[in-house]
């Protein structure tokens, strides 16, 4: 049956790897959204890090070709997100991934970027098609990727704060004196760190846009290149 018609998936017979568990369609969609955001955030942070490193080593505006070549996107972004095809795996076998500490990317920055770049290539259609930017030139689409990175970080920070805030509310309702011995979300170190990380990403994106001569506004990006 189509996924939209299924309300509850039961055991491995419905979804390989589910085991003896049950999964609602609502839960499945929430999971897909969460994992997609995490994957795109990881890939886009790799892109941003590489661009920031490049920007700090330059004293002048670079050509679009130089920038795109540096991040392995030359000739790729000119294709509109609406023309790019997404691919889905047809295999029903679930394979366990390599453990993080056994990954080459765990100790090798170049290997990590290679992994982030491969994921970025797979996620490009989804990222680009989800935006309202109709321009399909390289600079505009690259700016879209950078703004998506900012949006994901801000959303992450917001969710971290909301999670702690919900704990505060539940704790105060169920445990006498809870607020007296727990740090509120507004002052929680993890929530504050997530917010600062989001602001740091926003500043880094501004540095990259300055390097590329991009002026952003409500209508997308304009390049001085």
């Amino acid at each position: 049956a189509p996924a939209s018609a299924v309300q509850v998936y039961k055991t491995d017979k419905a979804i390989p790897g589910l085991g003896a568990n049950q999964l609602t369609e609502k839960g499945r969609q929430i999971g897909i959204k969460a994992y997609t955001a995490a994957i795109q955030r990881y890939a886009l942070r790799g892109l941003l890090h590489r661009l920031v490193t490049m920007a700090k080593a330059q004293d002048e505006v670079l050509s679009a070709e130089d920038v795109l070549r540096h991040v392995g996107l030359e000739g790729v972004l000119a294709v509109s997100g609406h023309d790019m095809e997404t691919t889905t795996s047809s295999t029903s076998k679930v394979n366990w991934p390599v453990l993080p500490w056994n990954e080459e990317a765990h100790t090798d920055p170049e290997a990590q970027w290679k992994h982030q770049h491969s994921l970025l290539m797979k996620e490009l259609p989804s990222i680009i098609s989800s935006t309202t930017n109709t321009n399909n030139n390289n600079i505009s689409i690259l700016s879209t990727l950078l703004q998506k990175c900012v949006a994901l970080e801000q959303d992450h920070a917001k969710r971290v704060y909301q999670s702690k805030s919900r704990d505060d509310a539940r704790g105060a309702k169920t445990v006498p004196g809870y607020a007296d011995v727990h740090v509120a979300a507004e002052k929680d170190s993890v929530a504050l760190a997530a917010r600062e990380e989001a602001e740091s990403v926003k500043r880094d994106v501004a540095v990259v846009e300055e390097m590329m001569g991009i002026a952003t506004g409500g209508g997308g990006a304009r390049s001085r290149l």
Side-chain angles (χ1 to χ4, degrees):
S4 58
V6 179
Q7 296 301 315
V8 180
Y9 301 90
K10 299 180 179 180
T11 75
D12 275 322
K13 294 181 179 179
I15 298 179
L18 187 57
N21 302 296
Q22 296 186 12
L23 176 67
T24 65
E25 174 59 17
K26 179 181 179 181
R28 189 179 78 90
Q29 292 299 329
I30 290 174
I32 290 174
K33 183 178 180 180
Y35 275 98
T36 297
I39 291 170
Q40 291 182 356
R41 181 169 166 244
Y42 166 73
L44 289 170
R45 284 297 297 270
L47 172 67
L48 178 61
H49 175 73
R50 199 162 181 86
L51 288 171
V52 168
T53 301
M54 184 183 191
K56 291 181 177 179
Q58 304 296 326
D59 296 323
E60 58 185 21
V61 174
L62 297 176
S63 70
E65 290 73 18
D66 287 339
V67 175
L68 295 174
R69 189 181 305 112
H70 183 68
V71 294
L73 295 177
E74 186 179 26
V76 175
L77 298 186
V79 182
S80 169
H82 298 290
D83 297 329
M84 301 174 74
E85 295 183 358
T86 56
T87 58
T88 55
S89 174
S90 60
T91 180
S92 61
K93 182 179 180 181
V94 178
N95 296 315
W96 287 104
V98 178
L99 294 173
W101 47 86
N102 291 329
E103 282 275 12
E104 184 181 3
H106 187 61
T107 56
D108 184 352
E110 283 302 312
Q112 182 179 30
W113 163 240
K114 183 178 179 180
H115 182 234
Q116 289 171 314
H117 182 267
S118 68
L119 289 176
L120 183 59
M121 292 299 96
K122 294 177 181 178
E123 292 297 321
L124 272 178
S126 173
I127 295 173
I128 296 174
S129 64
S130 66
T131 68
T132 57
N133 186 0
T134 57
N135 295 324
N136 65 352
N137 62 77
N138 287 333
I139 293 298
S140 179
I141 295 178
L142 183 55
S143 180
T144 294
L145 295 179
L146 293 174
Q147 292 306 316
K148 178 67 173 181
C149 184
V150 171
L152 286 171
E153 286 298 331
Q154 290 177 335
D155 180 68
H156 174 72
K158 178 181 177 181
R159 290 177 182 276
V160 170
Y161 173 82
Q162 289 178 334
S163 177
K164 180 62 171 69
S165 183
R166 285 195 296 268
D167 285 347
D168 292 344
R170 285 194 293 261
K173 290 180 179 180
T174 58
V175 181
Y178 181 92
D180 296 330
V181 293
H182 287 80
V183 178
E186 291 78 7
K187 298 180 179 179
D188 181 71
S189 60
V190 175
L192 291 174
R195 183 187 303 173
E196 173 53 33
E197 186 70 13
E199 290 300 316
S200 176
V201 165
K202 189 175 181 179
R203 291 192 295 269
D204 283 344
V205 166
V207 169
V208 172
E209 290 181 334
E210 182 178 358
M211 171 190 70
M212 297 184 63
I214 296 174
T216 57
R222 300 189 307 276
S223 173
R224 297 197 300 270
L225 303 180

